[in-house]
């Protein structure tokens, strides 16, 4: 690399700003990600929800995408002054008060085990728990929809018991069915599309999560409370 | 109306996409080469984001059932109308019953057939783009099939095109100042380091310095690259977050994936870089099996390219209107 290339590179690297419990980094020329670096909990998420409301009003904002204790902001055009924008995001985070979204209560009937629970055995191996215990821990939990994303109407659920955390797969399943009840790291959710999926399936739910023709296309919304109800357990 | 006479799989109706719904998991979709779409529409006097046909499998044939005008932009696929070869990036009038034919592309991969008034399928969530994964938008949420008929939008005041047509210089040449030519057949793709760049330690430099090959596992969703794997110095299990097209993620295999127009809206793989917006169309025209190298740039450089591209499209729009206006005045 030439000296001039190195000169160009230096300020780019410093674009990752890390302070007061949050970190901002760019994705391409028009998007910035703010990640809360503290605990993976509801308190952090409630501040993300507050931050989302503030950033949504900025004139340069095209889209905001709240994630799991993080927020992606997509700008209408390339940021002319990325450092200033990153600083502004961090300031908005520092000022973001907590808000609570009082959502609906959603119950999802699940067939635990059976043909679709392709990764239950691996989860037992990893956790040292029996399949019955894994399933019980999963359906006894109360979950909050932290964010929607990945595929239409997919809700990222927080509240998974750390005993059944399971990393995403190294090699994704090529054709996981829509409706599979899955665990991805410290998150859980129900697959909304059939296709490649790196999360671990432990059951199946018959549920339409998305209708593009509806005025409210997604069934779930951030803040909703979700409970899984075992319709049957096939172990 | 137009009628599809011959088509391969994966040809779809696309516009500039469906922004604003990433927060419920809906990908933007839209043309893989948005610049070609804008140029075609601007030449015809359409709104720059009017829906067009995105052709990526060939041969493709359609019949115009009424007199109108069209432009084929993007990939140069030796298009012909009524058996007569036409220039790339050329807006032309057609008579009812004429047949437009596209062959295998000589340059690029995706061609856009823009027609006066745009393709008038019902908008879903603010866009006419086809979401193949979501099975909505475009023509019933699916790719085009032989025998499909598509309505065209109404225009009150169509442009009066010259009989010989109205062409624009291919953007690769017109914008040569801001788009570096490929080096030894290697496409240069500009990108900005992303959040986990530093996590790759010494491998990060190899990401920029090596030549990657676009694998056969590449489509509108994303491009998988083949090369010498790069790995983070420590494994990370990230919290899922929103992503945009152009993000370069590195799955555990160490071979990067560039998310494209139909990408997931969220992800959790470490991201090493993000391709700048103004270079995405060049990726959209890159062939499977071709090679690319990433070039590290700043936001300021990205903004410069973006301005040049916006200026070029605006220029096409104004010139087209002016030429056709003058012609109208003379007639």
């Amino acid at each position: 690399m030439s000296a001039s290339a190195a000169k160009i590179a230096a300020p780019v690297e410093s674009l990752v700003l890390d302070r007061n419990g949050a970190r901002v980094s760019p994705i391409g020329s028009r998007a910035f990600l703010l990640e809360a670096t503290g605990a993976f909990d509801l308190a952090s998420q409630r501040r993300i929800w507050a931050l989302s409301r503030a950033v949504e009003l900025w004139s340069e904002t095209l889209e905001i995408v709240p994630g799991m204790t993080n927020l992606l902001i997509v700008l209408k055009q390339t940021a002319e002054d990325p450092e200033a924008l990153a600083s502004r995001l961090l300031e908005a985070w520092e000022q973001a008060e907590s808000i609570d979204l009082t959502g609906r209560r959603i119950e999802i009937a699940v067939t635990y085990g059976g043909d679709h629970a392709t990764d239950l055995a691996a989860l037992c191996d990893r956790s040292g728990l029996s399949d019955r215990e894994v399933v019980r821990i999963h359906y006894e939990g109360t979950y909050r929809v932290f964010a929607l994303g990945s595929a239409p109407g997919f809700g990222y659920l927080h509240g998974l018991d750390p005993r059944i955390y399971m990393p995403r797969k190294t090699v994704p399943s090529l054709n996981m069915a829509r409706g599979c009840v899955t665990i991805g790291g410290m998150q859980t959710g129900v697959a909304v599309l059939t296709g490649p999926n790196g999360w671990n399936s432990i059951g199946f739910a018959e549920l339409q999560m998305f209708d593009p023709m509806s005025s409210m296309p997604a069934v779930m919304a951030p803040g909703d409370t979700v409970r899984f109800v075992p319709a049957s357990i096939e172990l | 109306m137009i009628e599809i006479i011959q088509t391969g799989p994966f040809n779809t109706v696309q516009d500039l996409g469906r922004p604003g719904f990433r927060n419920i998991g809906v990908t933007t979709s839209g043309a893989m080469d948005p610049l070609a779409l804008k140029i075609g529409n601007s030449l015809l006097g359409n709104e720059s984001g009017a829906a067009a046909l995105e052709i990526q499998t060939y041969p493709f044939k359609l019949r115009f059932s009424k007199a109108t005008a069209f432009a084929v932009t993007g990939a140069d696929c030796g298009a012909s109308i009524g058996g007569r070869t036409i220039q790339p990036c050329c807006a032309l009038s057609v008579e009812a019953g004429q047949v437009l034919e596209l062959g295998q592309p000589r340059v690029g991969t995706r061609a856009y057939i823009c027609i006066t008034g745009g393709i008038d399928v019902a908008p879903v969530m603010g866009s006419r783009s086809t979401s193949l994964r979501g099975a909505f938008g475009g023509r019933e949420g699916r790719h085009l099939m032989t025998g499909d008929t598509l309505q065209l939008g109404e225009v009150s005041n169509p442009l009066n095109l010259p009989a010989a047509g109205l062409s624009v210089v291919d953007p690769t040449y017109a914008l040569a100042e801001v788009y570096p030519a490929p080096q030894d057949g290697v496409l240069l793709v500009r990108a900005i380091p992303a959040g986990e760049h530093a996590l790759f330690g010494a491998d990060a430099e190899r990401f920029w310095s090596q030549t990657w090959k676009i694998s056969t596992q590449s489509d509108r969703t994303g491009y998988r690259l083949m090369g010498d794997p790069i790995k983070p110095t420590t494994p990370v299990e990230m919290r899922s977050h929103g992503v945009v097209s152009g993000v370069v993620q590195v799955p555990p295999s160490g071979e990067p994936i560039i998310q494209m127009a139909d990408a997931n809206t969220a992800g959790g793989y470490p991201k090493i870089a993000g391709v700048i917006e103004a270079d995405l169309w060049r990726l959209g025209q890159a062939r499977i099996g071709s090679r690319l190298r990433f070039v590290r740039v700043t936001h300021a450089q990205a903004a410069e390219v973006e301005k040049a591209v916006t200026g070029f499209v605006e220029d096409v729009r104004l010139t087209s209107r002016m030429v056709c206006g003058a012609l109208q005045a003379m007639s």
Side-chain angles (χ1 to χ4, degrees):
Chain A
M1 275 282 151
S2 67
S4 67
K7 244 183 273 165
I8 292 165
V12 174
E13 204 65 70
S14 69
L15 247 185
V16 180
L17 297 184
D18 204 332
R19 65 173 197 245
N20 293 346
R23 179 174 185 267
V24 175
S25 59
I27 304 183
S29 52
R30 295 198 316 174
F32 288 83
L33 180 68
L34 180 139
E35 297 165 276
T37 49
F40 182 63
D41 60 10
L42 184 59
S44 300
Q45 193 65 18
R46 286 168 63 170
R47 275 185 75 189
I48 289 290
W49 289 335
L51 177 70
S52 304
R53 287 212 177 156
V55 171
E56 197 169 14
L57 302 174
W58 291 4
S59 60
E60 56 268 68
T61 303
L62 175 68
E63 284 190 76
I64 50 152
V65 192
M68 301 297 267
T69 71
N70 52 55
L71 176 72
L72 181 78
I73 166 174
V74 185
L75 306 173
K76 290 174 186 155
Q77 54 189 20
T78 293
E80 295 262 353
D81 189 346
E83 285 85 2
L85 192 113
S87 292
R88 241 176 102 201
L89 257 179
L90 283 171
E91 277 156 34
W93 164 253
E94 281 148 27
Q95 285 161 17
E97 312 229 340
S98 170
I99 58 166
D100 202 8
L101 302 176
T102 45
R104 300 186 306 141
R105 297 182 65 83
I106 297 172
E107 288 200 343
I108 299 175
V110 179
T111 297
Y112 283 102
D115 290 347
H116 290 290
T118 46
D119 306 296
L120 187 54
L123 216 163
C124 292
D125 285 349
R126 187 183 164 86
S127 62
L129 298 164
S130 71
D131 47 8
R132 230 157 255 289
E133 285 170 307
V134 168
V135 165
R136 187 180 51 78
I137 291 168
H138 191 262
Y139 72 68
E140 281 183 353
T142 301
Y143 304 94
R144 280 303 275 285
V145 180
F146 265 22
L148 267 65
S150 185
F154 179 79
Y156 284 101
L157 305 181
H158 174 267
L160 190 67
D161 190 305
R163 284 177 292 172
I164 55 171
Y165 283 0
M166 177 86 176
R168 296 176 184 85
K169 289 181 215 180
T170 314
V171 180
S173 309
L174 279 178
N175 209 21
M176 191 178 281
R178 178 169 78 96
C180 280
V181 175
T182 55
I183 290 173
M186 48 191 121
Q187 311 164 137
T188 186
V190 183
V192 294
L193 291 178
T194 297
N197 198 318
W199 288 28
N200 307 280
S201 180
I202 61 167
F204 187 79
E206 200 74 60
L207 192 65
Q208 183 71 36
M209 294 293 208
F210 188 79
D211 174 7
M213 304 316 277
S214 161
S215 60
M216 297 283 284
V219 170
M220 288 184 183
D224 286 352
T225 303
V226 174
R227 295 210 53 145
F228 292 105
V229 183
S232 70
I233 300 179
E234 300 169 8
L235 302 172
Chain B
M1 204 176 72
I2 52 169
E3 184 190 348
I4 312 298
I5 301 173
Q6 185 179 13
T7 180
F10 309 119
N11 295 329
T12 52
V13 176
Q14 297 293 341
D15 57 17
L16 289 176
R18 190 173 280 117
F21 298 98
R22 274 198 181 88
N23 61 347
I24 55 169
V26 176
T27 186
T28 53
S29 304
M32 288 280 277
D33 180 352
L35 179 58
L37 184 101
K38 287 180 199 172
I39 291 172
N41 281 325
S42 300
L43 264 177
L44 292 166
N46 286 345
E47 276 184 39
S48 65
L53 304 184
E54 180 182 88
I55 309 304
Q56 49 181 0
T57 55
Y58 305 83
F60 182 86
K61 250 190 238 185
L62 68 77
R63 181 184 293 118
F64 294 94
S65 49
K66 65 164 192 177
T68 181
F70 74 98
V72 182
T73 57
D76 174 5
C77 37
S80 65
I81 186 86
R84 189 165 54 91
T85 303
I86 55 173
Q87 294 218 9
C89 285
C90 179
L92 265 180
S93 299
V94 274
E95 301 302 322
Q98 285 196 295
V99 172
L100 171 68
E101 220 174 321
L102 272 59
Q104 292 295 337
R106 298 180 282 216
V107 181
T109 55
R110 294 183 172 86
Y112 294 83
I113 304 174
C114 301
I115 306 172
T116 300
I119 304 294
D120 190 20
V121 291
V124 178
M125 301 169 81
S127 164
R128 293 184 168 84
S129 280
T130 312
S131 171
L132 285 179
R133 278 188 78 207
F136 60 83
R139 174 73 191 209
E140 296 160 7
R142 60 163 170 79
H143 56 76
L144 298 172
M145 297 197 301
T146 301
D148 278 348
T149 55
L150 294 159
Q151 299 295 327
L152 303 175
E154 290 297 322
V155 271
S156 49
N157 198 11
L159 288 186
N160 190 10
L161 286 164
L166 185 62
S167 297
V168 57
V169 180
D170 186 294
T172 311
Y173 303 108
L175 292 165
E177 260 185 40
V178 289
Y179 286 103
Q183 289 176 0
D184 300 327
V186 178
L187 180 70
L188 302 180
V189 177
R190 287 163 290 194
I192 294 171
E196 284 70 62
H197 185 266
L199 205 67
F200 286 84
D203 277 12
E205 275 322 306
R206 285 200 296 116
F207 168 75
W208 299 101
S209 60
Q210 73 172 293
T211 297
W212 298 96
K213 190 174 168 182
I214 300 175
S215 87
T216 52
Q217 285 179 290
S218 299
D219 55 19
R220 284 183 46 90
T221 307
Y223 290 180
R224 277 173 188 269
L225 304 181
M226 285 158 54
D228 194 6
I230 49 170
K231 306 255 165 126
T233 46
T234 48
V236 276
E237 188 68 23
M238 310 242 328
R239 300 172 192 176
S240 294
H241 59 78
V243 295
V244 288
S245 52
V247 64
V248 186
Q249 299 171 313
V250 184
S253 72
E255 291 183 307
I257 297 172
I258 314 175
Q259 298 285 357
M260 298 299 289
D262 281 345
N264 281 347
T265 62
Y269 285 137
K271 48 201 176 306
I272 190 160
V275 175
I276 67 170
E277 190 76 14
D279 274 10
L280 289 176
W281 71 270
R282 299 186 101 195
L283 276 175
Q285 292 295 358
R287 286 176 185 236
I288 280 174
S290 69
R291 293 169 303 142
L292 62 85
R293 196 163 70 238
F294 294 98
V295 177
R296 196 161 159 162
V297 291
T298 62
H299 279 81
Q301 289 166 309
E304 236 171 77
V305 186
E306 195 168 273
K307 270 193 196 129
V309 173
T310 309
F312 176 67
V313 173
E314 184 61 11
D315 203 26
V316 171
R317 194 179 67 83
L318 292 175
T319 309
S320 174
R321 187 160 297 175
M322 213 164 64
V323 169
C324 297
L327 212 66
Q328 179 99 46
M330 284 192 297
S331 65

